[in-house]
Amino acid sequence: MAAANYLPSEDQFLCSVCLDVFTDPVSTPCGHNFCKKCINDYWNTNDQNTCPMCKKVFTSRPELLVNTLVSEMVSHVRQSAQQKASSSSSEQQESKPGEVPCDVCTGTRLKALKSCLVCLASYCETHLEPHLTASRLKRHQLIEPVENLEGRMCTKHDKPLELFCQTDQACVCMLCTVLDHITHKFVPLKEECEGKKVELEKTEAEIQEMIQKRRLKIQEVKHIVELSEEDADREKAEGVQVFTDLKESVERKLNELINTIEEKQRATKKQAEDSIKELEQEISELMKRSTEVEKLSLSEDHLHLLQSFQSLDIHLPPPTKDWTKVRVPPASYEGTVRRAVSQLEETLSGKMKKLVEVELKTVQKFAVEVTLDPDTAHYRESINRKGDITPSPQKGYWTIGLTNGDEYEANDDPEVVLSLKPGSQKVGVFVDYEEGLVSFYDVEAAALIYSFTGCCFKEKLFPYLSPEPNYGGTNSAPLIITPVRVN
């Protein structure tokens, strides 16, 4: 019973001539078995009647009879294999769209488990069995199921693409190395893939770094928006406090003030939102590229990796903006309330002074140090600093000065005579580059002297000091630069 239940594998019933399972097996006098047709064809093409296995020579062609025992065993093996295939097929999954189907299945095509680079075919679990059991098929190269196996053959020599030409950066077959690329340098596909995977890992790290930088930039922009909103809220509160004491005559000014501030904030917020949207879009593109790179780097399909590596332009990152120099400046509200209140100067002089005091405290936070250098008295940037100079904003000068010994004027276009008492000792200068604002303050009186508005700055700004000649001692007092005292 034990012998009856034992069924050897197909590998034990392979003809040594055709390397397939016996068909009409016959035995030679030396005891070896062959397909009847195979041994007769073998003898018909040779001068002597020899055994293909042991090379024993027979003086005359032996009479060959079918070995019934071997034939029955082969029949049982085939029947068992068919039953196993039928049972396995019912358990396997039918191939779905996007999956590689078995090339051997008829009717319902099952999902392929492996593809053979020698047979150029894909097999389900059942039809893959011979490649796992038959000794002649075990030498074939199996890979994960792929479509278009013909694309893995050299179109010129019809041989498998097994090597990588580092000279031409192309996949080649063995014949290519001795014919078309004889002087070139070659490596196995696996070795080249390992090198490319290192590059992919480096690229992936660079992309992740780019993503991180953009995420940090988003946080920076959001923080600027938060600070800008705080400034806007504070400025609106101050404006409401100033104009609350007024009646209907100043109601219109109050609304104009609030609308101006909110418009600036909306512009700042929109600019920030546009930047964030663009950053998030770049992150999305980078993450998409990261997914492609990661998927490709995990591929065990050497040929697919190399071919995709060439078409992916992996050395070229997706087009992105250099965000290191991009800045979303917070909206500046400096002087907004003051400019509105100045139109009601006669009735609001007390309020104006209080407001200027607040502004002075605010601008003091932006104090910068000034270092004098003899070279700065000569040509610098795009303006002339020597000779007879008539300062004006059009020439790059925003200045105020004392004329005729007792009258102050702003060197605007046209010049503006200032109602400033002679003898002012301390003058503060505040510049808002983004807002295009240059303001001069009488620090001791906590009063605004003059503001240049609507300025357009395109270069760096530098202090401009002109003490004028001594005039026989009448102008002998020095100009002194004093540090800002933060209250």
Side-chain angles (χ1 to χ4, degrees):
M1 293 298 291
N5 291 333
Y6 170 73
L7 286 177
S9 65
E10 291 185 359
D11 199 29
Q12 296 177 265
F13 296 97
L14 298 180
C15 172
S16 60
V17 177
C18 66
L19 298 179
D20 205 348
V21 179
F22 290 129
T23 300
D24 297 329
V26 295
S27 300
T28 60
C30 57
H32 295 113
N33 298 315
F34 306 94
C35 296
K36 185 175 183 179
K37 183 177 183 306
C38 292
I39 189 63
N40 283 324
D41 290 344
Y42 181 78
W43 284 339
N44 290 336
T45 56
N46 287 276
D47 296 334
Q48 292 181 315
N49 298 318
T50 61
C51 174
M53 291 288 289
C54 65
K55 304 302 180 183
K56 180 177 177 61
V57 180
F58 305 111
T59 55
S60 61
R61 181 176 293 194
E63 181 181 0
L64 299 175
L65 300 176
V66 175
N67 189 323
T68 56
L69 176 61
V70 175
S71 180
E72 289 178 0
M73 295 184 70
V74 170
S75 177
H76 283 298
V77 168
R78 284 179 171 167
Q79 184 178 2
S80 175
Q82 291 176 353
Q83 291 176 351
K84 181 179 179 182
S86 176
S87 174
S88 176
S89 297
S90 62
E91 298 176 357
Q92 296 182 62
Q93 297 180 353
E94 180 180 351
S95 65
K96 299 177 182 178
E99 295 179 338
V100 180
C102 176
D103 292 324
V104 183
C105 289
T106 57
T108 301
R109 300 179 69 182
L110 301 180
K111 177 182 177 181
L113 190 63
K114 294 287 184 180
S115 295
C116 178
L117 294 180
V118 179
C119 302
L120 294 181
S122 299
Y123 302 100
C124 64
E125 182 178 356
T126 300
H127 294 119
L128 182 65
E129 185 68 21
H131 279 77
L132 303 178
T133 57
S135 57
R136 68 184 180 89
L137 297 179
K138 287 181 179 179
R139 295 188 293 269
H140 289 191
Q141 184 177 356
L142 299 176
I143 62 172
E144 293 301 313
V146 293
E147 295 180 326
N148 189 28
L149 285 167
E150 291 78 8
R152 299 173 177 273
M153 302 293 290
C154 177
T155 56
K156 189 171 184 179
H157 305 113
D158 198 29
K159 297 292 183 182
L161 298 171
E162 302 176 299
L163 299 172
F164 186 79
C165 176
Q166 293 182 328
T167 305
D168 289 346
Q169 291 291 298
C171 299
V172 296
C173 69
M174 292 297 295
L175 285 179
C176 289
T177 63
V178 296
L179 296 177
D180 305 319
H181 303 255
I182 189 169
T183 61
H184 295 178
K185 182 179 180 181
F186 306 93
V187 293
L189 292 181
K190 182 178 180 180
E191 181 178 336
E192 183 65 21
C193 278
E194 293 300 324
K196 289 296 187 288
K197 284 188 175 183
V198 172
E199 295 183 33
L200 289 171
E201 291 174 358
K202 180 181 179 181
T203 301
E204 166 68 7
E206 292 174 350
I207 292 176
Q208 290 297 332
E209 183 179 358
M210 293 174 69
I211 291 174
Q212 184 61 22
K213 287 182 178 179
R214 280 149 182 78
R215 285 175 173 164
L216 292 175
K217 192 66 177 182
I218 288 178
Q219 295 179 1
E220 176 187 334
V221 172
K222 287 182 177 179
H223 181 63
I224 291 174
V225 173
E226 292 174 358
L227 294 178
S228 180
E229 288 178 345
E230 291 176 1
D231 291 343
D233 292 339
R234 181 173 56 254
E235 193 74 9
K236 286 190 292 184
E238 292 177 358
V240 171
Q241 181 178 357
V242 171
F243 283 87
T244 299
D245 297 336
L246 302 179
K247 296 183 180 180
E248 294 180 356
S249 61
V250 297
E251 191 67 32
R252 179 174 55 87
K253 288 295 179 181
L254 176 60
N255 292 333
E256 290 178 359
L257 172 68
I258 295 177
N259 290 338
T260 300
I261 295 173
E262 292 180 340
E263 182 62 29
K264 289 182 179 180
Q265 172 55 24
R266 282 194 296 270
T268 299
K269 189 171 184 179
K270 184 180 183 303
Q271 184 179 359
E273 289 173 347
D274 291 344
S275 297
I276 291 174
K277 183 178 179 181
E278 190 174 355
L279 283 163
E280 289 176 338
Q281 184 176 356
E282 287 193 8
I283 289 176
S284 177
E285 292 298 323
L286 288 169
M287 292 182 70
K288 180 180 178 182
R289 175 62 66 90
S290 175
T291 301
E292 294 175 356
V293 171
E294 181 181 6
K295 181 179 179 182
L296 186 58
S297 65
L298 295 175
S299 174
E300 296 297 327
D301 185 353
H302 303 154
L303 182 60
H304 172 70
L305 187 150
L306 294 173
Q307 291 177 336
S308 299
F309 187 92
Q310 304 298 321
S311 62
L312 189 58
D313 288 335
I314 203 66
H315 299 290
L316 299 177
T320 55
K321 181 186 292 186
D322 183 4
W323 289 95
T324 58
K325 298 181 180 179
V326 176
R327 180 173 177 265
V328 179
S332 175
Y333 308 97
E334 185 62 36
T336 305
V337 177
R338 174 190 51 72
R339 288 191 297 272
V341 176
S342 64
Q343 298 177 13
L344 304 172
E345 188 172 347
E346 292 182 0
T347 57
L348 300 176
S349 58
K351 292 287 184 180
M352 193 65 175
K353 182 176 181 180
K354 181 178 180 181
L355 183 60
V356 172
E357 290 175 349
V358 174
E359 288 183 352
L360 278 175
K361 292 180 180 179
T362 302
V363 300
Q364 285 173 353
K365 296 186 297 184
F366 302 99
V368 295
E369 294 184 356
V370 176
T371 301
L372 298 181
D373 187 334
D375 293 335
T376 62
H378 297 276
Y379 296 103
R380 194 163 181 193
E381 296 298 319
S382 64
I383 68 169
N384 179 22
R385 291 173 177 262
K386 300 294 288 185
D388 187 13
I389 299 173
T390 302
S392 68
Q394 287 72 21
K395 296 181 179 179
Y397 296 87
W398 293 268
T399 63
I400 62 172
L402 181 65
T403 62
N404 302 323
D406 59 356
E407 188 176 78
Y408 290 92
E409 67 179 12
N411 298 310
D412 208 336
D413 188 18
E415 295 180 345
V416 178
V417 177
L418 305 175
S419 57
L420 185 65
K421 294 179 180 181
S424 296
Q425 296 298 309
K426 290 186 178 180
V427 176
V429 183
F430 173 75
V431 177
D432 190 325
Y433 197 95
E434 285 76 18
E435 185 69 13
L437 176 70
V438 179
S439 297
F440 293 85
Y441 294 90
D442 185 333
V443 177
E444 294 178 337
L448 175 68
I449 298 176
Y450 187 77
S451 286
F452 293 88
T453 60
C455 306
C456 182
F457 305 128
K458 297 181 180 179
E459 305 176 29
K460 292 181 180 180
L461 299 181
F462 300 94
Y464 176 70
L465 306 174
S466 179
E468 295 297 325
N470 193 312
Y471 294 122
T474 58
N475 192 35
S476 59
L479 287 176
I480 301 175
I481 299 177
T482 61
V484 174
R485 184 176 69 253
V486 180
N487 295 326

